[in-house]
Amino acid sequence: MQDVADKEKLQVSPSGLKRPLITGGAGFIGSNFVHYWQQHHGTPVVVLDALAYAGNRANLADLEADPAVALTFVKGDICDRALVDQLLKDHEIDTIVHFAAESHVDRSILGPAPFIQTNVVGTFTLLDAFYHHWVSQGKPEHLRFHHVSTDEVYGSLGEKDPAFSETTPYAPNSPYSASKAGSDHLVRAYHHTYGLPTLMTNCSNNYGPYHFPEKLIPLTIVNILLGKPIPVYGDGQNVRDWLYVEDHCSAISAVLHQASPGSTYNIGGNAEVKNLDLVENLCDLMEEMAPDLPVHPVRSLITFVQDRAGHDRRYAMDIRKIQTDLGWSPQVTFKEGLRHTVAWYLDHPDWWQPLLTPDYQAFYDEIYS
Ligand code: NAD
Ligand code: TYD
């Protein structure tokens, strides 16, 4: 149903096609989005990705090997203005879907500088390049700059607070969320000041295939497979609102194709879960689904560790605006999504094992020692 609605309301270029540049398309959500795009829209895409530590060309290998898929992969930095200008022009780009970012809160605490560079300066570079590209063509109405952002810009909720809505004031608490908030403000300013046709989505925690094993869900799965302790920060009672990554992709597609320029939408899974409950749930699922685990009972691996500095207590998203305006709702329940995710990691040791490099181990030791 959603796809039919998308196609009917598609605001397309005069040629009838959207030609997107997808930044960060080799990362977790970006690569899922490239797959989603091929399946549901199928027009040629250009991916710009610096292949930073979480970027992995293997995430796109099946598409790059398929002669029916028109995918151009460019290894490069979103802060490289000359490169961005060239790509916009050479590929006649009419849509940017901007995922590229430094994305891990713990890394932002250890070293905030790359977060400011990529998330703030990089987003500015893309916005300004796209603005001049748009102006050079006489400001066509169908162009779009879609900025992918996070619920973390809104700060932290108390147990009984209402969920974040699109009008909740920004109150970012980590260097990561502050850098994303900075980028969100630049997107807003380019629309407000210059009329650039921007779109923005703020989403809750994603999970699913191709998730780098530094974030809670893939880290827990991988550590269980290796028989390593599962680190739970603080008292484990922090709450996150989880969304299966394919649902995030369908929400972005709905916004991209249907929303008015300048609009912002919150996206979430209506699935608030406490970290400890989530980890226990994963332990039980792994006992059920994975043969020959090195440690039993799996729950004995759960280890409480020192809390993250400035750890946000609770996130929750009010998604009524996107439900009402665009008819989007999450389709995958948390229970189903977690099962798909565990199954994917069990089927793809060849994907995650090579990621456990000496650099990964050094980061791990620094965070958890
Ligand atoms: P990720 O870390 O898995 O991927 C980020 C990608 O950006 C990587 O491929 C990396 O190589 C690339 N990249 C980093 N710096 C770059 C640069 N300077 N130039 C070009 N490419 C660069 O992150 P993700 O989890 O896929 O997140 C994607 C986007 O979604 C981010 O903007 C993030 O803020 C946002 N987001 C993530 C979540 C989540 O739960 N993961 C939730 C809401 C919003
Ligand atoms: P994470 O996956 O890093 O996402 P975010 O910080 O963007 O929400 O963390 C999800 C939650 O899990 C968060 O409350 C921090 C917690 N956490 C742990 O308890 N242990 C861990 O090893 C990690 C990585 C996260």
Side-chain angles (χ1 to χ4, degrees):
M1 282 303 284
Q2 186 67 55
D3 291 335
V4 175
D6 278 356
K7 280 183 186 133
E8 279 171 2
K9 295 185 186 173
L10 198 66
Q11 294 190 41
V12 291
S13 69
S15 70
L17 298 171
K18 270 188 184 292
R19 297 188 60 85
L21 172 69
I22 301 176
T23 73
F28 163 46
I29 306 173
S31 63
N32 276 282
F33 185 77
V34 176
H35 282 90
Y36 182 92
W37 187 270
Q38 285 310 323
Q39 238 179 321
H40 294 263
H41 304 297
T43 58
V45 300
V46 180
V47 168
L48 173 60
D49 197 297
L51 297 182
Y53 76 92
N56 186 352
R57 205 155 165 183
N59 298 0
L60 302 171
D62 56 335
L63 297 177
E64 291 201 81
D66 183 346
V69 171
L71 168 63
T72 305
F73 181 85
V74 179
K75 181 173 188 271
D77 193 325
I78 56 167
C79 301
D80 181 344
R81 175 63 185 265
L83 172 64
V84 174
D85 284 342
Q86 193 73 47
L87 291 176
L88 294 178
K89 189 159 169 270
D90 288 356
H91 295 273
E92 297 175 20
I93 297 297
D94 59 19
T95 304
I96 290 185
V97 192
H98 175 34
F99 294 94
E102 288 289 337
S103 67
H104 190 32
V105 172
D106 291 326
R107 287 186 191 256
S108 83
I109 296 167
L110 288 178
F115 288 73
I116 305 308
Q117 181 63 18
T118 289
N119 299 359
V120 182
V121 178
T123 301
F124 162 71
T125 306
L126 288 171
L127 276 168
D128 204 54
F130 196 66
Y131 169 65
H132 287 281
H133 178 65
W134 177 63
V135 170
S136 72
Q137 296 170 59
K139 302 186 177 179
E141 272 180 26
H142 67 276
L143 267 62
R144 293 288 181 276
F145 184 103
H146 187 128
H147 179 59
V148 178
S149 193
T150 166
D151 57 358
E152 305 193 23
V153 297
Y154 297 121
S156 182
L157 293 168
E159 206 183 332
K160 298 211 157 44
D161 288 338
F164 301 128
S165 78
E166 290 79 359
T167 55
T168 302
Y170 275 30
N173 289 318
S174 72
Y176 163 66
S177 54
S179 68
K180 290 297 291 187
S183 65
D184 290 10
H185 291 322
L186 285 167
V187 172
R188 177 190 157 90
Y190 266 75
H191 176 72
H192 187 81
T193 303
Y194 304 116
L196 190 70
T198 60
L199 298 164
M200 186 156 68
T201 45
N202 293 77
C203 189
S204 64
N205 286 61
N206 284 215
Y207 66 102
Y210 303 116
H211 205 180
F212 192 80
E214 65 183 354
K215 306 275 172 74
L216 182 64
I217 289 180
L219 181 101
T220 300
I221 295 172
V222 165
N223 280 15
I224 292 172
L225 289 169
L226 299 174
K228 284 173 59 176
I230 303 165
V232 172
Y233 294 156
D235 61 4
Q237 299 303 300
N238 301 65
V239 174
R240 296 294 181 266
D241 169 9
W242 293 96
L243 181 71
Y244 191 63
V245 64
E246 198 179 331
D247 275 333
H248 188 185
C249 296
S250 70
I252 291 171
S253 179
V255 171
L256 196 53
H257 291 119
Q258 300 176 52
S260 309
S263 54
T264 68
Y265 284 94
N266 282 358
I267 303 168
N270 280 337
E272 286 187 57
V273 186
K274 288 181 178 150
N275 291 342
L276 184 57
D277 293 342
L278 166 53
V279 166
E280 288 179 345
N281 201 335
L282 265 178
C283 289
D284 298 348
L285 254 187
M286 292 289 284
E287 295 264 19
E288 182 199 319
M289 294 174 69
D292 305 327
L293 289 174
V295 175
H296 289 280
V298 174
R299 283 188 184 209
S300 68
L301 292 171
I302 295 175
T303 308
F304 290 93
V305 299
Q306 191 183 349
D307 208 354
R308 171 186 282 173
H311 194 176
D312 285 338
R313 193 65 174 170
R314 173 177 164 239
Y315 304 140
M317 284 301 233
D318 178 340
I319 58 170
R320 282 175 293 179
K321 184 180 174 199
I322 189 168
Q323 288 179 313
T324 309
D325 287 6
L326 308 183
W328 176 89
S329 279
Q331 300 297 306
V332 181
T333 65
F334 188 56
K335 199 172 162 201
E336 290 164 348
L338 220 47
R339 249 176 207 281
H340 288 320
T341 305
V342 168
W344 191 87
Y345 280 82
L346 293 179
D347 286 347
H348 293 86
D350 52 325
W351 182 84
W352 60 264
Q353 279 168 351
L355 303 178
L356 311 182
T357 59
D359 278 355
Y360 174 87
Q361 195 54 48
F363 161 74
Y364 196 95
D365 293 344
E366 197 170 357
I367 287 284
Y368 298 107
S369 61

